Amino acid sequence: MALISVKNLSKIYKSETVETQALRGVSFDVQKGEFVAIMGPSGSGKSTLLHILDFLDKPTTGEYFFEGKSIFNYSDEERAILRNKKMGFIFQSYNLLARTTALDNVKLPLIYFGDEGQGWDGLARTALTEVGLSERANHTPSQLSGGEQQRVAIARALVLNPEVIFADEPTGNLDSKGGQQIMEILQKLNREKGHTIVMITHESDMAEYAGRIIRMRDGKIESDIQK
């Protein structure tokens, strides 16, 4: 059973006078343990697709199965719980709390699950160790480089050991060296730890770190290549 399965997805945005079709019959599966890069120019539909995959939006038509169950069979509350527990997120802009330490930033996804007696600090420190930042746990974002901030964001995405990590242009704000370091971490997490990763990027050199590249154009899949 595929972790993610989408079949003939379409998405139409409507305003009073304009109708825009962002996705046109998109179908593919993602197996547990894959590292998939989704590429495409601006307007190709890749961001719309990501928002559907991570439960922030719903398709106009088509089907989306997560762990074998249609997303339409989940209530809004169930989708919110599933999103927090089963999905990790990495953003281009890091989305860290400015006055909060790296350790406490990593602990944020845990606030929905029990009290601190359940070992929040230990889970967060383990995640920081995974990305090589154990010695920076008590630093705030302003005391960290851009690459280090993104590594904190990766640790935050890992802390609940989610089924899938969605990365939205994770190297977009970094120089080439910082971007390479982030991609090496993601690749290691995939190859050595078995994490499933779905990444949106417009950078071909970063997409090469993935094991599979899906290219989109005009709301459709242009190519789907397993490396």
Side-chain angles (χ1 to χ4, degrees), residues 171-218:
T171 62
N173 283 346
L174 302 175
D175 60 23
S176 58
K177 182 179 179 180
Q180 181 180 346
Q181 290 172 341
I182 292 302
M183 293 310 305
E184 287 173 352
I185 289 171
L186 292 178
Q187 191 177 63
K188 181 179 179 180
L189 290 171
N190 172 251
R191 291 181 175 179
E192 297 183 13
K193 303 295 183 178
H195 288 286
T196 305
I197 300 172
V198 177
M199 178 181 72
I200 299 292
T201 184
H202 67 276
E203 300 175 274
S204 297
D205 53 341
M206 300 305 166
E208 288 300 320
Y209 284 87
R212 176 182 172 195
I213 301 175
I214 296 174
R215 296 181 185 272
M216 297 188 65
R217 185 176 296 276
D218 298 328

Side-chain angles (χ1 to χ4, degrees), residues 3 16 50 53 67 71-72 83 93 99 113 133 157 213 227:
L3 177 62
E16 291 183 1
L50 181 66
L53 294 180
E67 294 187 320
I71 63 165
F72 296 110
R83 189 173 189 271
S93 56
R99 298 182 181 180
F113 296 96
L133 282 182
I213 301 175
K227 294 166 57 183

